Amino acid sequence: MTVERQTMEVDIACVGFGPAMGGFLTTLSRALVDENGQPLLESSVMPGAPLQVLCYERADDISFGVSGIVTRGRSIRATFPDLNPADIPMTAHVGHEKVLYLLDPLGASRRSTGVRALDEVVKILSSPKDYSYELPYIPPFLRKEEGFVLSVGQFTQWVGSQLMASGLVQVWPGMPVSEPLIEGNQVVGIRLADQGTNKDGSPAAGYMPGMDIRAALTVVADGPVGPVGQKLDRHFGFPAGNHQREWAVGMKAVVELPETCTLEPGTVLHTIGYPEPEIFGFLYVYPDRVASLGIFVPSWLDNPVRTSYRYLQHWMTHPAIWPYLEGGTLRSWGAKSLQESGRRGEPFLVGNGYARIGEGSGSTNVLTGSGVDEAWATGVQLAEGVVELLKAGKPFTKENLGDTYLARRRNSWVEQEAKEAEKARDGFQRGVLTGLAGMGLTGLTKGIMNLGAKISRPYERVPSLEEYCREKILPSEIEHLRSESIAKGSSLADAVMDAHGWPQIPLDGKLLVSQQDALLMGGKVQAQPGYADHVVITDPQLCETCNPQLCVEICSGQALTYTEGGGAPQFDREKCIHCGACMWNCTKPLEANGERCNIDFRAGSGGLHSAEN
């Protein structure tokens, strides 16, 4: 059925407002008018007016992102040379940095023979009271001196307020974009999501087809699970040898620290080794006794029921961490999928009528664990290239965007450091110790040497539950736990962790709270009515043979639950925080494309509204 849609024409249509788009729009807006407000770059769709630039963001506000960041901030400082951290809430100069290796105080962690041997060495060197060892040396590639600790939510809100006050660009939150408009091999704009639909996308009362926004240039910065970026990937494919097979879930919180906490603003703490050896942790201290903290659960954690929230709580209560947090209060909470393939996950960055920036463009440096400043830099580079083309009167073709934006990116520090880091994490495909050794070797030799490995798709790494539990749980007990979790609609991960010796978290109602209470205390999911569900099971029959369903176990907001009697999981978008973890944690590949699995993450409105980001 042909749907009649309204059409609007603009000069540049943008998708997703994060650090990359902030860099692009800030740089572009400075070139649009002179000091008298007269257009320097005139619109082709509104003659006599400045360039018409519109940006659409899925979330209900541009600041809805609970994500603490430590960054060198080179590109950000170049854009704002007089930046005073005090001007941005929850921002401070980096002060003391340290890295801790955490031992397992409970004996429940799943540790290889090599990790156990390392533990024994660390026990000799470490303090027995807090089960940790502070590394005496932090390699230069990991240090962030002269940088900032900041909140992405607060930073993007600060940037966005300046942009909207200028009146030179329009930013529209709460406007999900469903797909790019592609004619032949040219992108000619974007399509906003249909409104007034049932959950399956069929028209309901008040149906209003999404508007088509046609533009000479479409700028795509919708992150690693954005529907526009995904559809461009499917249409154009990837450059030879590139793929996106390395992922992580960042499970994060903002905490008001207790009055007894002695950590100074700007403190940066990173951890390795616990609650599982593959999981990294962080804690960044802001002014006024506020901190961001969290863990990263990577795709190379070979656990068929890997979870995030309970692992976060076990990390928080580790004896080396808990003294700083005890008596604190949860202020915000959230999660995000991280695309961890770096430069190897880079799609085609430019084409006729489009360009890609930010994390979805493969800009994250997987050696330094840095992404915000790199994303900002790609936005600046594109804006400079766009201004160059506009001044020369040249169209936004693949060739012209390659000569301007792509050339700038290839000749920048972002590219140079991304090349050095490209194989930095390959060693984790073979184990934690190999991975750490590979990162050290890559960093110290600036990418000349590394421990390369075949990169498996996430689902290829996941063992059966019986295999994973073979040392501690009998197959008959596993079957009982599985049946019980399906009947109760409860987490199998919790039951498996209990059986492995992980104690229940002593909930205190302030900081250590249940996962569902975190949705109420540290944020609130808003799912606007009238939109289709954004998490869709492509082939429900594939789910019949999937057990345990890893998408259910990993779900950050417990929005996916088991169906009694088996079958496809149930999705409740009133709990979904749009982290995208379900998509890459699905273990059932599609027959037509082994790089894709059975969950489709589409355009959707709303998400997690946090009390403070």
Side-chain angles (χ1 to χ4, degrees), residues 38-122:
Q38 296 302 307
L40 292 174
L41 300 174
E42 188 172 325
S43 170
S44 63
V45 299
M46 192 178 292
L51 211 67
Q52 298 297 292
V53 183
L54 273 68
C55 176
Y56 297 94
E57 162 60 35
R58 171 202 57 78
D60 292 339
D61 198 351
I62 58 175
S63 65
F64 288 154
V66 180
S67 191
I69 293 296
V70 60
T71 176
R72 292 190 179 101
R74 288 170 286 180
S75 183
I76 293 171
R77 286 201 307 270
T79 301
F80 304 107
D82 300 322
L83 177 62
N84 179 0
D87 293 338
I88 309 172
M90 299 169 64
T91 302
H93 282 296
V94 170
H96 181 57
E97 297 180 73
K98 60 181 179 179
V99 178
L100 297 181
Y101 180 84
L102 302 181
L103 295 165
D104 174 13
L106 304 174
S109 180
R110 189 171 183 264
R111 303 172 96 79
S112 66
T113 301
V115 173
R116 290 194 186 104
L118 176 61
D119 287 349
E120 293 304 313
V121 174
V122 170

Side-chain angles (χ1 to χ4, degrees), residues 128-334:
K129 69 175 183 178
D130 66 6
Y131 293 86
S132 73
Y133 174 68
E134 182 177 346
L135 274 61
Y137 170 72
I138 301 177
F141 62 86
L142 287 180
R143 293 200 295 265
K144 302 295 192 301
E145 61 244 315
E146 299 183 5
F148 306 103
V149 290
L150 53 83
S151 155
V152 166
Q154 296 291 342
F155 177 65
T156 53
Q157 187 175 47
W158 179 76
V159 172
S161 64
Q162 295 184 70
L163 286 170
M164 289 186 279
S166 75
L168 296 173
V169 299
Q170 297 182 47
V171 181
W172 291 90
M175 297 290 286
V177 178
S178 64
E179 60 187 326
L181 298 176
I182 303 175
E183 297 178 356
N185 278 328
Q186 180 168 351
V187 175
V188 297
I190 54 177
R191 175 167 292 167
L192 303 183
D194 293 347
Q195 298 182 45
T197 72
N198 297 307
K199 289 186 176 183
D200 63 1
S202 60
Y207 174 63
M208 185 170 64
M211 183 184 293
D212 285 349
I213 312 296
R214 298 183 69 87
L217 175 65
T218 298
V219 179
V220 182
D222 61 350
V225 297
V228 176
Q230 286 189 67
K231 289 184 179 179
L232 289 176
D233 292 343
R234 294 172 197 172
H235 184 87
F236 294 107
F238 280 82
N242 284 17
H243 50 71
Q244 296 180 345
R245 296 179 178 176
E246 294 155 282
W247 294 82
V249 173
M251 177 66 70
K252 311 173 181 186
V254 176
V255 172
E256 181 177 334
L257 298 170
E259 292 184 6
T260 55
C261 183
T262 58
L263 297 177
E264 294 291 327
T267 298
V268 173
L269 168 63
H270 286 109
T271 73
I272 55 176
Y274 182 84
E276 300 288 3
E278 297 87 348
I279 293 176
F280 295 80
F282 71 89
L283 189 152
Y284 309 141
V285 182
Y286 304 132
D288 303 318
R289 286 192 299 106
V290 175
S292 279
L293 55 84
I295 60 169
F296 300 102
V297 179
S299 53
W300 58 75
L301 174 60
D302 298 341
N303 181 342
V305 286
R306 56 183 173 230
T307 182
S308 300
Y309 189 75
R310 185 166 172 184
Y311 274 142
L312 171 63
Q313 292 189 315
H314 281 295
W315 178 85
M316 290 166 62
T317 52
H318 188 279
I321 307 297
W322 188 238
Y324 300 126
L325 304 180
E326 187 174 12
T329 303
L330 179 70
R331 293 171 70 142
S332 295
W333 165 84

Side-chain angles (χ1 to χ4, degrees), residues 304-305 463-466 482 492 546-551 553 562 587:
V305 286
S464 69
L465 189 56
E466 287 75 13
R482 179 186 281 123
L492 182 55
C546 184
N547 205 316
Q549 293 172 341
L550 187 49
C551 63
E553 303 299 335
Y562 287 107
T587 58

Side-chain angles (χ1 to χ4, degrees), residues 383-583:
E384 292 172 345
V386 166
V387 171
E388 180 181 335
L389 291 176
L390 289 168
K391 287 182 175 179
K394 294 182 178 180
F396 296 116
T397 62
K398 180 177 182 179
E399 181 181 13
N400 289 340
L401 288 165
D403 290 342
T404 53
Y405 163 49
L406 199 54
R408 281 177 167 82
R409 182 157 168 174
R410 296 297 185 229
N411 292 321
S412 72
W413 62 267
V414 175
E415 175 76 5
Q416 177 59 39
E417 294 181 7
K419 282 184 176 180
E420 294 174 3
E422 190 164 355
K423 297 182 179 180
R425 295 191 180 182
D426 287 11
F428 285 105
Q429 300 291 320
R430 293 187 273 165
V432 175
L433 297 184
T434 308
L436 294 174
M439 285 188 68
L441 185 64
T442 302
L444 295 174
T445 65
K446 293 189 177 296
I448 295 173
M449 301 177 68
N450 55 72
L451 299 178
K454 176 188 175 184
I455 309 300
S456 301
R457 301 174 180 92
Y459 65 82
E460 293 174 328
R461 300 184 57 92
V462 181
S464 69
L465 189 56
E466 287 75 13
E467 181 183 356
Y468 179 75
C469 299
R470 66 182 183 275
E471 295 181 4
K472 290 194 174 183
I473 311 177
L474 294 173
S476 58
E477 185 180 354
I478 290 173
E479 187 56 39
H480 171 71
L481 294 176
R482 179 186 281 123
S483 300
E484 194 174 55
S485 69
I486 292 176
K488 293 181 178 179
S490 60
S491 169
L492 182 55
D494 273 341
V496 170
M497 289 184 74
D498 290 345
H500 273 89
W502 292 97
Q504 289 291 319
I505 297 295
L507 304 182
D508 60 16
K510 289 179 57 183
L511 180 56
L512 300 178
V513 299
S514 72
Q515 191 166 358
Q516 284 303 301
D517 282 345
L519 282 166
L520 300 174
M521 293 174 56
K524 186 179 189 313
V525 171
Q526 300 271 88
Q528 302 296 334
Y531 287 96
D533 278 348
H534 54 280
V535 172
V536 177
I537 308 296
T538 306
D539 181 0
Q541 288 188 329
L542 281 179
C543 301
E544 298 283 350
T545 58
C546 184
N547 205 316
Q549 293 172 341
L550 187 49
C551 63
V552 173
E553 303 299 335
I554 197 69
C555 181
S556 301
Q558 296 183 330
L560 287 168
T561 54
Y562 287 107
T563 298
E564 188 172 356
Q570 300 297 307
F571 174 61
D572 181 359
R573 68 184 187 194
E574 298 295 333
K575 295 180 178 180
C576 179
I577 67 173
H578 289 252
C579 74
C582 55
M583 186 183 77

